[in-house]
PDB file of all heavy atoms in Angstrom:
ATOM      1  N   ARG O   1      73.802   1.980 -96.835  1.00  0.00           N
ATOM      2  CA  ARG O   1      75.243   1.888 -96.556  1.00  0.00           C
ATOM      3  C   ARG O   1      76.002   1.257 -97.635  1.00  0.00           C
ATOM      4  O   ARG O   1      77.092   1.695 -97.937  1.00  0.00           O
ATOM      5  CB  ARG O   1      75.352   1.021 -95.222  1.00  0.00           C
ATOM      6  CG  ARG O   1      76.764   0.927 -94.649  1.00  0.00           C
ATOM      7  CD  ARG O   1      76.830  -0.051 -93.467  1.00  0.00           C
ATOM      8  NE  ARG O   1      76.535  -1.427 -93.958  1.00  0.00           N
ATOM      9  CZ  ARG O   1      76.419  -2.447 -93.125  1.00  0.00           C
ATOM     10  NH1 ARG O   1      76.377  -2.249 -91.785  1.00  0.00           N
ATOM     11  NH2 ARG O   1      76.183  -3.644 -93.561  1.00  0.00           N
ATOM     12  N   GLU O   2      75.412   0.205 -98.228  1.00  0.00           N
ATOM     13  CA  GLU O   2      76.113  -0.453 -99.334  1.00  0.00           C
ATOM     14  C   GLU O   2      76.257   0.484-100.579  1.00  0.00           C
ATOM     15  O   GLU O   2      77.272   0.458-101.267  1.00  0.00           O
ATOM     16  CB  GLU O   2      75.398  -1.741 -99.763  1.00  0.00           C
ATOM     17  CG  GLU O   2      76.123  -2.615-100.743  1.00  0.00           C
ATOM     18  CD  GLU O   2      77.373  -3.317-100.142  1.00  0.00           C
ATOM     19  OE1 GLU O   2      77.603  -3.159 -98.908  1.00  0.00           O
ATOM     20  OE2 GLU O   2      78.053  -4.039-100.843  1.00  0.00           O
ATOM     21  N   ALA O   3      75.185   1.221-100.826  1.00  0.00           N
ATOM     22  CA  ALA O   3      75.200   2.181-101.923  1.00  0.00           C
ATOM     23  C   ALA O   3      76.273   3.262-101.750  1.00  0.00           C
ATOM     24  O   ALA O   3      76.880   3.717-102.786  1.00  0.00           O
ATOM     25  CB  ALA O   3      73.825   2.852-102.085  1.00  0.00           C
ATOM     26  N   GLU O   4      76.476   3.702-100.545  1.00  0.00           N
ATOM     27  CA  GLU O   4      77.492   4.679-100.277  1.00  0.00           C
ATOM     28  C   GLU O   4      78.917   4.092-100.455  1.00  0.00           C
ATOM     29  O   GLU O   4      79.851   4.723-100.947  1.00  0.00           O
ATOM     30  CB  GLU O   4      77.307   5.233 -98.851  1.00  0.00           C
ATOM     31  CG  GLU O   4      78.288   6.326 -98.410  1.00  0.00           C
ATOM     32  CD  GLU O   4      78.084   6.894 -97.153  1.00  0.00           C
ATOM     33  OE1 GLU O   4      77.141   6.428 -96.442  1.00  0.00           O
ATOM     34  OE2 GLU O   4      78.846   7.740 -96.713  1.00  0.00           O
ATOM     35  N   HIS O   5      78.968   2.832-100.041  1.00  0.00           N
ATOM     36  CA  HIS O   5      80.327   2.102-100.103  1.00  0.00           C
ATOM     37  C   HIS O   5      80.804   1.732-101.459  1.00  0.00           C
ATOM     38  O   HIS O   5      81.987   1.658-101.770  1.00  0.00           O
ATOM     39  CB  HIS O   5      80.219   0.908 -99.118  1.00  0.00           C
ATOM     40  CG  HIS O   5      81.416   0.059 -99.124  1.00  0.00           C
ATOM     41  ND1 HIS O   5      82.684   0.459 -98.697  1.00  0.00           N
ATOM     42  CD2 HIS O   5      81.650  -1.270 -99.628  1.00  0.00           C
ATOM     43  CE1 HIS O   5      83.547  -0.543 -98.847  1.00  0.00           C
ATOM     44  NE2 HIS O   5      82.919  -1.635 -99.415  1.00  0.00           N
ATOM     45  N   ARG O   6      79.775   1.390-102.345  1.00  0.00           N
ATOM     46  CA  ARG O   6      80.179   0.852-103.631  1.00  0.00           C
ATOM     47  C   ARG O   6      80.013   1.884-104.808  1.00  0.00           C
ATOM     48  O   ARG O   6      79.123   2.762-104.805  1.00  0.00           O
ATOM     49  CB  ARG O   6      79.216  -0.323-104.004  1.00  0.00           C
ATOM     50  CG  ARG O   6      79.148  -1.403-102.984  1.00  0.00           C
ATOM     51  CD  ARG O   6      80.373  -2.270-103.020  1.00  0.00           C
ATOM     52  NE  ARG O   6      80.168  -3.582-102.376  1.00  0.00           N
ATOM     53  CZ  ARG O   6      81.104  -4.534-102.213  1.00  0.00           C
ATOM     54  NH1 ARG O   6      82.364  -4.266-102.720  1.00  0.00           N
ATOM     55  NH2 ARG O   6      80.828  -5.633-101.568  1.00  0.00           N
ATOM     56  N   SER O   7      80.971   1.823-105.777  1.00  0.00           N
ATOM     57  CA  SER O   7      80.827   2.676-106.919  1.00  0.00           C
ATOM     58  C   SER O   7      79.845   2.043-107.922  1.00  0.00           C
ATOM     59  O   SER O   7      79.436   0.878-107.762  1.00  0.00           O
ATOM     60  CB  SER O   7      82.236   2.773-107.556  1.00  0.00           C
ATOM     61  OG  SER O   7      82.582   1.525-108.123  1.00  0.00           O
ATOM     62  N   TYR O   8      79.345   2.839-108.848  1.00  0.00           N
ATOM     63  CA  TYR O   8      78.449   2.269-109.903  1.00  0.00           C
ATOM     64  C   TYR O   8      79.101   1.144-110.623  1.00  0.00           C
ATOM     65  O   TYR O   8      78.447   0.119-110.886  1.00  0.00           O
ATOM     66  CB  TYR O   8      78.076   3.368-110.935  1.00  0.00           C
ATOM     67  CG  TYR O   8      77.076   4.380-110.400  1.00  0.00           C
ATOM     68  CD1 TYR O   8      77.455   5.675-110.112  1.00  0.00           C
ATOM     69  CD2 TYR O   8      75.730   4.025-110.221  1.00  0.00           C
ATOM     70  CE1 TYR O   8      76.503   6.594-109.664  1.00  0.00           C
ATOM     71  CE2 TYR O   8      74.817   4.915-109.686  1.00  0.00           C
ATOM     72  CZ  TYR O   8      75.154   6.230-109.444  1.00  0.00           C
ATOM     73  OH  TYR O   8      74.222   7.112-108.936  1.00  0.00           O
ATOM     74  N   GLU O   9      80.446   1.272-110.889  1.00  0.00           N
ATOM     75  CA  GLU O   9      81.117   0.254-111.626  1.00  0.00           C
ATOM     76  C   GLU O   9      81.182  -1.025-110.849  1.00  0.00           C
ATOM     77  O   GLU O   9      81.019  -2.118-111.434  1.00  0.00           O
ATOM     78  CB  GLU O   9      82.568   0.728-111.961  1.00  0.00           C
ATOM     79  CG  GLU O   9      82.670   1.895-113.030  1.00  0.00           C
ATOM     80  CD  GLU O   9      82.290   3.225-112.389  1.00  0.00           C
ATOM     81  OE1 GLU O   9      82.239   3.320-111.173  1.00  0.00           O
ATOM     82  OE2 GLU O   9      82.077   4.162-113.175  1.00  0.00           O
ATOM     83  N   LYS O  10      81.392  -0.953-109.545  1.00  0.00           N
ATOM     84  CA  LYS O  10      81.530  -2.143-108.681  1.00  0.00           C
ATOM     85  C   LYS O  10      80.202  -2.819-108.598  1.00  0.00           C
ATOM     86  O   LYS O  10      80.070  -4.051-108.639  1.00  0.00           O
ATOM     87  CB  LYS O  10      82.047  -1.798-107.338  1.00  0.00           C
ATOM     88  CG  LYS O  10      82.197  -3.035-106.436  1.00  0.00           C
ATOM     89  CD  LYS O  10      83.244  -3.992-107.016  1.00  0.00           C
ATOM     90  CE  LYS O  10      83.384  -5.233-106.216  1.00  0.00           C
ATOM     91  NZ  LYS O  10      84.382  -6.183-106.806  1.00  0.00           N
ATOM     92  N   ILE O  11      79.139  -2.049-108.503  1.00  0.00           N
ATOM     93  CA  ILE O  11      77.695  -2.676-108.426  1.00  0.00           C
ATOM     94  C   ILE O  11      77.468  -3.414-109.696  1.00  0.00           C
ATOM     95  O   ILE O  11      76.920  -4.559-109.695  1.00  0.00           O
ATOM     96  CB  ILE O  11      76.700  -1.546-108.095  1.00  0.00           C
ATOM     97  CG1 ILE O  11      76.876  -0.926-106.761  1.00  0.00           C
ATOM     98  CG2 ILE O  11      75.293  -2.188-108.227  1.00  0.00           C
ATOM     99  CD1 ILE O  11      76.040   0.269-106.562  1.00  0.00           C
ATOM    100  N   GLU O  12      77.842  -2.755-110.855  1.00  0.00           N
ATOM    101  CA  GLU O  12      77.629  -3.441-112.105  1.00  0.00           C
ATOM    102  C   GLU O  12      78.441  -4.739-112.194  1.00  0.00           C
ATOM    103  O   GLU O  12      77.973  -5.750-112.701  1.00  0.00           O
ATOM    104  CB  GLU O  12      77.984  -2.565-113.247  1.00  0.00           C
ATOM    105  CG  GLU O  12      77.804  -3.083-114.639  1.00  0.00           C
ATOM    106  CD  GLU O  12      76.296  -3.363-114.964  1.00  0.00           C
ATOM    107  OE1 GLU O  12      75.399  -2.707-114.389  1.00  0.00           O
ATOM    108  OE2 GLU O  12      76.052  -4.349-115.672  1.00  0.00           O
ATOM    109  N   GLU O  13      79.663  -4.693-111.649  1.00  0.00           N
ATOM    110  CA  GLU O  13      80.509  -5.887-111.680  1.00  0.00           C
ATOM    111  C   GLU O  13      79.902  -6.984-110.791  1.00  0.00           C
ATOM    112  O   GLU O  13      79.895  -8.221-111.269  1.00  0.00           O
ATOM    113  CB  GLU O  13      81.890  -5.528-111.160  1.00  0.00           C
ATOM    114  CG  GLU O  13      82.900  -6.710-111.086  1.00  0.00           C
ATOM    115  CD  GLU O  13      84.176  -6.373-110.474  1.00  0.00           C
ATOM    116  OE1 GLU O  13      84.454  -5.186-110.119  1.00  0.00           O
ATOM    117  OE2 GLU O  13      84.978  -7.316-110.195  1.00  0.00           O
ATOM    118  N   ILE O  14      79.359  -6.682-109.668  1.00  0.00           N
ATOM    119  CA  ILE O  14      78.716  -7.595-108.861  1.00  0.00           C
ATOM    120  C   ILE O  14      77.429  -8.211-109.549  1.00  0.00           C
ATOM    121  O   ILE O  14      77.230  -9.499-109.479  1.00  0.00           O
ATOM    122  CB  ILE O  14      78.259  -6.957-107.476  1.00  0.00           C
ATOM    123  CG1 ILE O  14      79.505  -6.672-106.659  1.00  0.00           C
ATOM    124  CG2 ILE O  14      77.349  -7.865-106.665  1.00  0.00           C
ATOM    125  CD1 ILE O  14      79.258  -5.816-105.465  1.00  0.00           C
ATOM    126  N   LEU O  15      76.610  -7.422-110.125  1.00  0.00           N
ATOM    127  CA  LEU O  15      75.451  -7.911-110.842  1.00  0.00           C
ATOM    128  C   LEU O  15      75.878  -8.873-111.992  1.00  0.00           C
ATOM    129  O   LEU O  15      75.209  -9.840-112.204  1.00  0.00           O
ATOM    130  CB  LEU O  15      74.701  -6.755-111.373  1.00  0.00           C
ATOM    131  CG  LEU O  15      73.917  -5.923-110.357  1.00  0.00           C
ATOM    132  CD1 LEU O  15      73.337  -4.657-110.991  1.00  0.00           C
ATOM    133  CD2 LEU O  15      72.790  -6.709-109.648  1.00  0.00           C
ATOM    134  N   GLN O  16      76.943  -8.547-112.683  1.00  0.00           N
ATOM    135  CA  GLN O  16      77.423  -9.490-113.718  1.00  0.00           C
ATOM    136  C   GLN O  16      77.953 -10.732-113.165  1.00  0.00           C
ATOM    137  O   GLN O  16      77.815 -11.857-113.788  1.00  0.00           O
ATOM    138  CB  GLN O  16      78.571  -8.710-114.539  1.00  0.00           C
ATOM    139  CG  GLN O  16      78.064  -7.580-115.392  1.00  0.00           C
ATOM    140  CD  GLN O  16      79.181  -6.877-116.099  1.00  0.00           C
ATOM    141  OE1 GLN O  16      80.414  -7.147-115.927  1.00  0.00           O
ATOM    142  NE2 GLN O  16      78.858  -5.818-116.873  1.00  0.00           N
ATOM    143  N   ALA O  17      78.542 -10.612-111.931  1.00  0.00           N
ATOM    144  CA  ALA O  17      79.057 -11.894-111.321  1.00  0.00           C
ATOM    145  C   ALA O  17      77.985 -12.868-110.953  1.00  0.00           C
ATOM    146  O   ALA O  17      78.123 -14.140-111.173  1.00  0.00           O
ATOM    147  CB  ALA O  17      79.770 -11.526-110.016  1.00  0.00           C
ATOM    148  N   PHE O  18      76.725 -12.365-110.631  1.00  0.00           N
ATOM    149  CA  PHE O  18      75.586 -13.216-110.437  1.00  0.00           C
ATOM    150  C   PHE O  18      75.189 -13.883-111.636  1.00  0.00           C
ATOM    151  O   PHE O  18      74.908 -15.102-111.644  1.00  0.00           O
ATOM    152  CB  PHE O  18      74.403 -12.393-109.801  1.00  0.00           C
ATOM    153  CG  PHE O  18      74.711 -11.770-108.505  1.00  0.00           C
ATOM    154  CD1 PHE O  18      74.259 -10.452-108.131  1.00  0.00           C
ATOM    155  CD2 PHE O  18      75.322 -12.469-107.460  1.00  0.00           C
ATOM    156  CE1 PHE O  18      74.461  -9.878-106.914  1.00  0.00           C
ATOM    157  CE2 PHE O  18      75.603 -11.894-106.215  1.00  0.00           C
ATOM    158  CZ  PHE O  18      75.129 -10.614-105.894  1.00  0.00           C
ATOM    159  N   GLU O  19      75.192 -13.160-112.795  1.00  0.00           N
ATOM    160  CA  GLU O  19      74.761 -13.792-114.050  1.00  0.00           C
ATOM    161  C   GLU O  19      75.820 -14.848-114.501  1.00  0.00           C
ATOM    162  O   GLU O  19      75.456 -15.876-114.937  1.00  0.00           O
ATOM    163  CB  GLU O  19      74.625 -12.688-115.176  1.00  0.00           C
ATOM    164  CG  GLU O  19      73.422 -11.825-114.952  1.00  0.00           C
ATOM    165  CD  GLU O  19      72.116 -12.569-114.817  1.00  0.00           C
ATOM    166  OE1 GLU O  19      71.901 -13.433-115.713  1.00  0.00           O
ATOM    167  OE2 GLU O  19      71.356 -12.332-113.874  1.00  0.00           O
ATOM    168  N   LYS O  20      77.069 -14.505-114.291  1.00  0.00           N
ATOM    169  CA  LYS O  20      78.154 -15.467-114.642  1.00  0.00           C
ATOM    170  C   LYS O  20      78.025 -16.714-113.805  1.00  0.00           C
ATOM    171  O   LYS O  20      78.219 -17.862-114.325  1.00  0.00           O
ATOM    172  CB  LYS O  20      79.490 -14.866-114.441  1.00  0.00           C
ATOM    173  CG  LYS O  20      79.855 -13.801-115.444  1.00  0.00           C
ATOM    174  CD  LYS O  20      81.253 -13.164-115.089  1.00  0.00           C
ATOM    175  CE  LYS O  20      81.612 -12.060-116.109  1.00  0.00           C
ATOM    176  NZ  LYS O  20      82.834 -11.376-115.737  1.00  0.00           N
ATOM    177  N   ALA O  21      77.695 -16.615-112.489  1.00  0.00           N
ATOM    178  CA  ALA O  21      77.546 -17.768-111.649  1.00  0.00           C
ATOM    179  C   ALA O  21      76.358 -18.612-112.139  1.00  0.00           C
ATOM    180  O   ALA O  21      76.524 -19.898-112.160  1.00  0.00           O
ATOM    181  CB  ALA O  21      77.153 -17.274-110.214  1.00  0.00           C
ATOM    182  N   LYS O  22      75.267 -18.040-112.582  1.00  0.00           N
ATOM    183  CA  LYS O  22      74.179 -18.826-113.058  1.00  0.00           C
ATOM    184  C   LYS O  22      74.557 -19.585-114.306  1.00  0.00           C
ATOM    185  O   LYS O  22      74.136 -20.739-114.590  1.00  0.00           O
ATOM    186  CB  LYS O  22      72.942 -18.020-113.231  1.00  0.00           C
ATOM    187  CG  LYS O  22      72.253 -17.523-112.016  1.00  0.00           C
ATOM    188  CD  LYS O  22      70.924 -16.987-112.161  1.00  0.00           C
ATOM    189  CE  LYS O  22      70.884 -15.635-112.863  1.00  0.00           C
ATOM    190  NZ  LYS O  22      69.548 -15.058-112.891  1.00  0.00           N
ATOM    191  N   MET O  23      75.352 -18.892-115.191  1.00  0.00           N
ATOM    192  CA  MET O  23      75.771 -19.553-116.435  1.00  0.00           C
ATOM    193  C   MET O  23      76.725 -20.670-116.144  1.00  0.00           C
ATOM    194  O   MET O  23      76.645 -21.701-116.829  1.00  0.00           O
ATOM    195  CB  MET O  23      76.481 -18.498-117.362  1.00  0.00           C
ATOM    196  CG  MET O  23      75.517 -17.479-117.903  1.00  0.00           C
ATOM    197  SD  MET O  23      76.340 -16.159-118.834  1.00  0.00           S
ATOM    198  CE  MET O  23      77.139 -17.079-120.151  1.00  0.00           C
ATOM    199  N   ARG O  24      77.642 -20.482-115.182  1.00  0.00           N
ATOM    200  CA  ARG O  24      78.490 -21.567-114.868  1.00  0.00           C
ATOM    201  C   ARG O  24      77.777 -22.787-114.310  1.00  0.00           C
ATOM    202  O   ARG O  24      78.164 -23.920-114.609  1.00  0.00           O
ATOM    203  CB  ARG O  24      79.580 -21.057-113.846  1.00  0.00           C
ATOM    204  CG  ARG O  24      80.584 -20.053-114.434  1.00  0.00           C
ATOM    205  CD  ARG O  24      81.607 -19.647-113.314  1.00  0.00           C
ATOM    206  NE  ARG O  24      82.604 -18.742-113.954  1.00  0.00           N
ATOM    207  CZ  ARG O  24      82.811 -17.454-113.564  1.00  0.00           C
ATOM    208  NH1 ARG O  24      82.171 -16.933-112.520  1.00  0.00           N
ATOM    209  NH2 ARG O  24      83.689 -16.710-114.116  1.00  0.00           N
ATOM    210  N   LEU O  25      76.841 -22.540-113.474  1.00  0.00           N
ATOM    211  CA  LEU O  25      75.992 -23.692-112.910  1.00  0.00           C
ATOM    212  C   LEU O  25      75.301 -24.409-114.029  1.00  0.00           C
ATOM    213  O   LEU O  25      75.230 -25.591-114.011  1.00  0.00           O
ATOM    214  CB  LEU O  25      75.045 -23.117-111.885  1.00  0.00           C
ATOM    215  CG  LEU O  25      75.661 -22.650-110.547  1.00  0.00           C
ATOM    216  CD1 LEU O  25      74.604 -21.899-109.683  1.00  0.00           C
ATOM    217  CD2 LEU O  25      76.312 -23.720-109.821  1.00  0.00           C
ATOM    218  N   LYS O  26      74.748 -23.631-114.956  1.00  0.00           N
ATOM    219  CA  LYS O  26      74.091 -24.304-116.105  1.00  0.00           C
ATOM    220  C   LYS O  26      75.070 -25.158-116.933  1.00  0.00           C
ATOM    221  O   LYS O  26      74.664 -26.216-117.487  1.00  0.00           O
ATOM    222  CB  LYS O  26      73.478 -23.208-117.000  1.00  0.00           C
ATOM    223  CG  LYS O  26      72.635 -23.772-118.179  1.00  0.00           C
ATOM    224  CD  LYS O  26      72.065 -22.676-119.038  1.00  0.00           C
ATOM    225  CE  LYS O  26      70.812 -22.092-118.393  1.00  0.00           C
ATOM    226  NZ  LYS O  26      70.088 -21.179-119.351  1.00  0.00           N
ATOM    227  N   ALA O  27      76.334 -24.694-116.963  1.00  0.00           N
ATOM    228  CA  ALA O  27      77.346 -25.510-117.759  1.00  0.00           C
ATOM    229  C   ALA O  27      78.049 -26.462-116.866  1.00  0.00           C
ATOM    230  O   ALA O  27      78.990 -27.140-117.285  1.00  0.00           O
ATOM    231  CB  ALA O  27      78.408 -24.491-118.218  1.00  0.00           C
ATOM    232  N   ASN O  28      77.407 -26.809-115.663  1.00  0.00           N
ATOM    233  CA  ASN O  28      77.963 -27.844-114.766  1.00  0.00           C
ATOM    234  C   ASN O  28      79.343 -27.589-114.264  1.00  0.00           C
ATOM    235  O   ASN O  28      80.101 -28.573-113.977  1.00  0.00           O
ATOM    236  CB  ASN O  28      77.861 -29.254-115.464  1.00  0.00           C
ATOM    237  CG  ASN O  28      76.429 -29.675-115.659  1.00  0.00           C
ATOM    238  OD1 ASN O  28      75.555 -29.409-114.849  1.00  0.00           O
ATOM    239  ND2 ASN O  28      76.199 -30.437-116.705  1.00  0.00           N
ATOM    240  N   VAL O  29      79.710 -26.340-114.128  1.00  0.00           N
ATOM    241  CA  VAL O  29      81.005 -26.001-113.468  1.00  0.00           C
ATOM    242  C   VAL O  29      80.800 -26.322-111.934  1.00  0.00           C
ATOM    243  O   VAL O  29      79.598 -26.212-111.396  1.00  0.00           O
ATOM    244  CB  VAL O  29      81.317 -24.509-113.625  1.00  0.00           C
ATOM    245  CG1 VAL O  29      82.568 -24.067-112.861  1.00  0.00           C
ATOM    246  CG2 VAL O  29      81.528 -24.199-115.130  1.00  0.00           C
ATOM    247  N   SER O  30      81.868 -26.702-111.309  1.00  0.00           N
ATOM    248  CA  SER O  30      81.809 -27.090-109.884  1.00  0.00           C
ATOM    249  C   SER O  30      81.034 -26.024-109.081  1.00  0.00           C
ATOM    250  O   SER O  30      81.288 -24.791-109.205  1.00  0.00           O
ATOM    251  CB  SER O  30      83.187 -27.241-109.364  1.00  0.00           C
ATOM    252  OG  SER O  30      83.277 -27.085-107.869  1.00  0.00           O
ATOM    253  N   PHE O  31      80.188 -26.539-108.197  1.00  0.00           N
ATOM    254  CA  PHE O  31      79.429 -25.570-107.282  1.00  0.00           C
ATOM    255  C   PHE O  31      80.335 -24.718-106.458  1.00  0.00           C
ATOM    256  O   PHE O  31      80.209 -23.569-106.352  1.00  0.00           O
ATOM    257  CB  PHE O  31      78.444 -26.368-106.371  1.00  0.00           C
ATOM    258  CG  PHE O  31      77.708 -25.545-105.313  1.00  0.00           C
ATOM    259  CD1 PHE O  31      76.513 -24.924-105.675  1.00  0.00           C
ATOM    260  CD2 PHE O  31      78.259 -25.458-104.081  1.00  0.00           C
ATOM    261  CE1 PHE O  31      75.839 -24.131-104.739  1.00  0.00           C
ATOM    262  CE2 PHE O  31      77.605 -24.712-103.136  1.00  0.00           C
ATOM    263  CZ  PHE O  31      76.403 -24.073-103.443  1.00  0.00           C
ATOM    264  N   ASP O  32      81.349 -25.387-105.795  1.00  0.00           N
ATOM    265  CA  ASP O  32      82.246 -24.613-104.883  1.00  0.00           C
ATOM    266  C   ASP O  32      83.056 -23.576-105.717  1.00  0.00           C
ATOM    267  O   ASP O  32      83.207 -22.464-105.224  1.00  0.00           O
ATOM    268  CB  ASP O  32      83.260 -25.640-104.263  1.00  0.00           C
ATOM    269  CG  ASP O  32      82.527 -26.316-103.063  1.00  0.00           C
ATOM    270  OD1 ASP O  32      81.388 -26.124-102.842  1.00  0.00           O
ATOM    271  OD2 ASP O  32      83.221 -27.178-102.457  1.00  0.00           O
ATOM    272  N   VAL O  33      83.547 -23.970-106.870  1.00  0.00           N
ATOM    273  CA  VAL O  33      84.275 -23.018-107.678  1.00  0.00           C
ATOM    274  C   VAL O  33      83.445 -21.797-108.070  1.00  0.00           C
ATOM    275  O   VAL O  33      83.800 -20.618-108.007  1.00  0.00           O
ATOM    276  CB  VAL O  33      84.886 -23.694-108.944  1.00  0.00           C
ATOM    277  CG1 VAL O  33      85.477 -22.667-109.879  1.00  0.00           C
ATOM    278  CG2 VAL O  33      85.986 -24.694-108.572  1.00  0.00           C
ATOM    279  N   THR O  34      82.186 -22.111-108.513  1.00  0.00           N
ATOM    280  CA  THR O  34      81.249 -21.095-108.934  1.00  0.00           C
ATOM    281  C   THR O  34      80.958 -20.129-107.853  1.00  0.00           C
ATOM    282  O   THR O  34      80.964 -18.938-107.990  1.00  0.00           O
ATOM    283  CB  THR O  34      79.970 -21.676-109.487  1.00  0.00           C
ATOM    284  OG1 THR O  34      80.254 -22.517-110.625  1.00  0.00           O
ATOM    285  CG2 THR O  34      78.991 -20.681-109.872  1.00  0.00           C
ATOM    286  N   MET O  35      80.641 -20.650-106.675  1.00  0.00           N
ATOM    287  CA  MET O  35      80.255 -19.839-105.482  1.00  0.00           C
ATOM    288  C   MET O  35      81.445 -19.009-105.055  1.00  0.00           C
ATOM    289  O   MET O  35      81.348 -17.811-104.632  1.00  0.00           O
ATOM    290  CB  MET O  35      79.696 -20.686-104.390  1.00  0.00           C
ATOM    291  CG  MET O  35      78.349 -21.303-104.683  1.00  0.00           C
ATOM    292  SD  MET O  35      77.047 -20.104-104.953  1.00  0.00           S
ATOM    293  CE  MET O  35      76.896 -20.134-106.735  1.00  0.00           C
ATOM    294  N   GLU O  36      82.697 -19.660-104.993  1.00  0.00           N
ATOM    295  CA  GLU O  36      83.830 -18.882-104.498  1.00  0.00           C
ATOM    296  C   GLU O  36      84.118 -17.720-105.423  1.00  0.00           C
ATOM    297  O   GLU O  36      84.455 -16.574-104.953  1.00  0.00           O
ATOM    298  CB  GLU O  36      84.996 -19.828-104.481  1.00  0.00           C
ATOM    299  CG  GLU O  36      84.983 -20.737-103.214  1.00  0.00           C
ATOM    300  CD  GLU O  36      86.194 -21.648-103.165  1.00  0.00           C
ATOM    301  OE1 GLU O  36      87.161 -21.448-103.920  1.00  0.00           O
ATOM    302  OE2 GLU O  36      86.205 -22.622-102.338  1.00  0.00           O
ATOM    303  N   LEU O  37      84.113 -17.914-106.713  1.00  0.00           N
ATOM    304  CA  LEU O  37      84.303 -16.773-107.664  1.00  0.00           C
ATOM    305  C   LEU O  37      83.277 -15.665-107.491  1.00  0.00           C
ATOM    306  O   LEU O  37      83.621 -14.485-107.496  1.00  0.00           O
ATOM    307  CB  LEU O  37      84.261 -17.310-109.086  1.00  0.00           C
ATOM    308  CG  LEU O  37      85.382 -18.161-109.567  1.00  0.00           C
ATOM    309  CD1 LEU O  37      85.142 -18.792-110.865  1.00  0.00           C
ATOM    310  CD2 LEU O  37      86.749 -17.381-109.586  1.00  0.00           C
ATOM    311  N   MET O  38      82.043 -16.067-107.312  1.00  0.00           N
ATOM    312  CA  MET O  38      80.973 -15.014-107.020  1.00  0.00           C
ATOM    313  C   MET O  38      81.198 -14.300-105.732  1.00  0.00           C
ATOM    314  O   MET O  38      81.163 -13.077-105.735  1.00  0.00           O
ATOM    315  CB  MET O  38      79.555 -15.694-107.039  1.00  0.00           C
ATOM    316  CG  MET O  38      78.425 -14.773-106.897  1.00  0.00           C
ATOM    317  SD  MET O  38      76.848 -15.639-106.762  1.00  0.00           S
ATOM    318  CE  MET O  38      76.934 -16.159-105.012  1.00  0.00           C
ATOM    319  N   LEU O  39      81.509 -15.031-104.661  1.00  0.00           N
ATOM    320  CA  LEU O  39      81.670 -14.378-103.375  1.00  0.00           C
ATOM    321  C   LEU O  39      82.895 -13.547-103.261  1.00  0.00           C
ATOM    322  O   LEU O  39      82.953 -12.495-102.579  1.00  0.00           O
ATOM    323  CB  LEU O  39      81.686 -15.448-102.280  1.00  0.00           C
ATOM    324  CG  LEU O  39      80.384 -16.183-102.019  1.00  0.00           C
ATOM    325  CD1 LEU O  39      80.624 -17.389-101.101  1.00  0.00           C
ATOM    326  CD2 LEU O  39      79.261 -15.310-101.546  1.00  0.00           C
ATOM    327  N   LEU O  40      83.950 -13.946-104.038  1.00  0.00           N
ATOM    328  CA  LEU O  40      85.188 -13.026-104.118  1.00  0.00           C
ATOM    329  C   LEU O  40      84.843 -11.716-104.717  1.00  0.00           C
ATOM    330  O   LEU O  40      85.422 -10.661-104.274  1.00  0.00           O
ATOM    331  CB  LEU O  40      86.268 -13.836-104.889  1.00  0.00           C
ATOM    332  CG  LEU O  40      86.996 -14.826-104.097  1.00  0.00           C
ATOM    333  CD1 LEU O  40      87.904 -15.667-105.093  1.00  0.00           C
ATOM    334  CD2 LEU O  40      87.796 -14.282-102.988  1.00  0.00           C
ATOM    335  N   THR O  41      83.950 -11.716-105.708  1.00  0.00           N
ATOM    336  CA  THR O  41      83.609 -10.425-106.327  1.00  0.00           C
ATOM    337  C   THR O  41      82.865  -9.571-105.252  1.00  0.00           C
ATOM    338  O   THR O  41      83.089  -8.305-105.222  1.00  0.00           O
ATOM    339  CB  THR O  41      82.655 -10.669-107.460  1.00  0.00           C
ATOM    340  OG1 THR O  41      83.297 -11.479-108.432  1.00  0.00           O
ATOM    341  CG2 THR O  41      82.347  -9.311-108.210  1.00  0.00           C
TER     342      THR O  41
END
């Protein structure tokens, strides 16, 4: 269902959002800010 709903570009954007979230956490960016940005994607 998710594969039908999402474009290739959007799936790639989501996968990149996960990597950005891990980088932000490593850089001690606020947990709430990091998670909100990831979940908004």
Side-chain angles (χ1 to χ4, degrees):
R1 185 185 67 189
E2 189 72 2
E4 183 178 358
H5 173 66
R6 303 288 197 180
S7 67
Y8 284 110
E9 291 77 14
K10 184 60 182 180
I11 297 171
E12 182 62 31
E13 182 186 351
I14 290 170
L15 290 170
Q16 290 176 359
F18 295 139
E19 291 304 311
K20 288 177 183 176
K22 289 194 290 185
M23 290 173 62
R24 289 181 178 122
L25 289 170
K26 182 180 282 189
N28 290 327
V29 176
S30 159
F31 174 86
D32 283 359
V33 170
T34 298
M35 292 297 104
E36 285 181 10
L37 289 171
M38 183 185 78
L39 293 173
L40 282 170
T41 305

